[in-house]
Structures are given as structure tokens and as C-alpha cells.
Amino acid sequence: AQGDYSFKKYPDAKGAYHGWSYAYIRNDLTYKLFCSLNEKTGFTAITFDVKNSAVILEKETEGLVIDGEYSLMDAAIYEGSEDEVFSAWFTSLDVKRTSAEPMRGYTTKYSYYMDFDEQALDEDLSKISTEDYELYLIDEGYETAAGDWTFAETEKFPSAMKSAVDRIHKKGFKAGVWLSPFIADKSSRLYSEHPEWILKDENGKPVYAGRRKNAFILDFSVESVRIHISRSVKAALDCGFDLLKLDDLYAACALPFGGKTRGEIMHEAMDFLRDCVQDKLILACGVPLESAFGKADYCRVSCDNSEKWAEKRGSREAASSLDALYSAVFRRQLNERGFLNETDAYSLTDPALKLTYEQRQSVSFVSNLAGEMVFLY
């Protein structure tokens, strides 16, 4: 339940490439941009068939129920300079990004991952400086289990999360926290108490959350699930967090429901999250990009970086430093238009990375050039 493999037929022939919502061809400094003007009714796949010199636009409409007129395709082709075509597209979309400012952050993910606790927080705060970072992000690893978003006293944080946020603020940093609102680990209390909240496929089997082999997707069509998510977000905001990193957002539209397409559901989910988070900052990750335009303050536009330069990948979503770099370059035009771009965190010094000095420099250069939110560790 990640990517588009279950609902987009990949062409057998070589020389056919596809993406979603927009695609462009560059000839010297002239761009030809093919783009959807309305993804709220359903995602638009754009395929370049090089062998047959064809560009194919398809609307993904699985699950759609229509009663009356329906506009299937609303798309445009713009030709001109890079700035001209992308400005024309966003003008047609009538999308304006939020007023979020560029930010440099420190993330706990790669230094600690699931071993992060209150002691690690205090050690970090004694070492890092506001001269280097503006945001301290408590990333994945603080929680007891994904789905159980409790910020009260836990074994890892005996002083509770509000105390941790207070200490982060006292050092002069903004505070951020990771949540994956649409998933639940098998080990979570939520899963044991509410198995009826888990998304089921057509055979009645629980749907796994893609790369998370021990986590299920929550059914966003269930009102109780939405209440659970809104309460979890409120609990984080009550602690004083300034930014929420909301991850694995694709899970909201893994299967269509209620006569709606995946695109319609994803837009509803982003509207819902924006309402929950209110005026605090959202870093959206694992989200179909167009669905986040004007709703997320910052948005991940690449896969995760890897400890290796070019991993052998089982899917287009798998980690790879090289592919993350490509994504940052070729999605640079979304920056400061739909949101502020973010690529995955990087390090210039981590000895575990199997990257040459030049490769590390490349990741750093592109991350800072093509994005406005930069994380280091």
C-alpha cells in the first residue's frame, strides 16, 4: 500500500515513463509543461511514450460513483521559460503557499531512531547551537508504538513531553515532532482495542502500510478514526510543539471509499489535517505532492537518503541518496510555489555513511540550493 503499483499499469515496453499531476520536457531553456488543473476529482497520470512520440494523460477514477455531470479531465499545456510555465500553472490552480519561512533543523532520527529518550534529548541540547539550527525535531523513535500518540509520562520520557518542549524552547529552538496519523503498529494499544478501525481490502484482510511491515493503515472513512487523529494532533499542540512532521500520508487514500477517487480522498485528508494543526507548521511527508499545495508549509519532495550513494531499489519509494538528489533537482520548481521544499536529512560527518566526500558535498549542495527546509544530524 505505497506507490501506485496497485492501480497504475506500468508499460511493458521500454521508453515509457510516467508521473503524476505534472511533467515537463526541457529543450535547452524552453520548457513544455503538461499539468493537471484539478486533482481534487482524481489523480492524473502523465506518460511519455518516447517510442511513439506520444504524451498520454489518464485520470485515476477507481471507486468513483457519479450522479450527474462530471468533469473527467481538466489539464493544460504551457510552453516557455521555466519560470513562465510554472508560474502560469500555479496561477491557473489559484494556489498560494503559506507564509512559512526557510528553516534549518536538527533531527533525532538518524542519530537515535528508536533509541531516542529524555536523556538523549538533554545530551543533544547541551551540544547543538541556535547558530546552526532553528528547529529541533523529535523524529520517529520517541513513541511507544505508532498509533499510540501519547505525550504524557512514559518510560522514555518520565517528565512528559511538555517538559521536553519547554527545555527545547528554553534553549532557543522551535520544537517539532513526528506523527504518522494514518497508521497503527501491530503492537499498539490502538490496534488491540480498535481492530475495526483498520482498513480492509476487498477480501476483508487488513492493509499493511507499505514499507512498514508491522503496521496497518487506519480507515480514514471511519468517523472514530478522524476523532482519534484530531485528538492526537491536539495533544501534540497542547505540549507546545511549533511544527508537526506528518508522515506516510499516502495511507489516507490507499483504497477509495464512499464513491470517491483516491485524489478526492487525499485532498479531503489534507484539508482535515490543516484544520487540526491550525496555525502551527506542517511538514508533509509521503504525500502526493499536488494534494499538499497551499496546505503544507513544508513538503518532502524526495525519497529518504541512504547510507549508500545508489541503493539497489525494490521500489521507487525506497531510500537512495542519488535518487533523492534527482528528485530535489527535478521538483525544484515547486519550491516557494506550492510549499517550501524539503529533502531528507543529511550529514557531512557521520562515519556510518558509505558516501565519498564529493558525494556528501553533492547532497549538501543540492539540499541547500533546491529546498528551503534543510535537516542535518
Side-chain angles (χ1 to χ4, degrees), residues 40-113:
K40 294 179 181 179
T41 57
F43 295 131
T44 304
I46 303 174
T47 301
F48 289 161
D49 184 346
V50 177
K51 184 177 181 180
N52 296 303
S53 300
V55 179
I56 304 160
L57 277 71
E58 304 168 275
K59 199 71 160 181
E60 200 280 309
T61 57
E62 182 183 346
L64 180 64
V65 176
I66 305 169
D67 182 10
E69 292 186 356
Y70 174 76
S71 177
L72 178 66
M73 188 72 69
D74 190 3
I77 302 173
Y78 297 109
E79 189 165 2
S81 69
E82 181 178 36
D83 185 64
E84 286 172 341
V85 299
F86 279 93
S87 293
W89 181 31
F90 276 85
T91 297
S92 296
L93 289 174
D94 194 25
V95 166
K96 293 180 176 61
R97 75 169 184 88
T98 70
S99 59
E101 296 292 330
M103 195 181 305
R104 181 180 294 267
Y106 170 88
T107 175
T108 62
K109 181 177 179 180
Y110 293 105
S111 297
Y112 302 102
Y113 197 42

Side-chain angles (χ1 to χ4, degrees), residues 19 32 37 65 135 186 192 227 231-232 249 260 296 324 352 361 367:
K32 182 172 283 189
L37 300 181
V65 176
L135 173 74
K186 280 184 177 181
S192 64
I227 293 172
R231 287 175 176 170
S232 299
L249 297 184
K260 302 170 186 176
Q361 279 189 314
S367 296

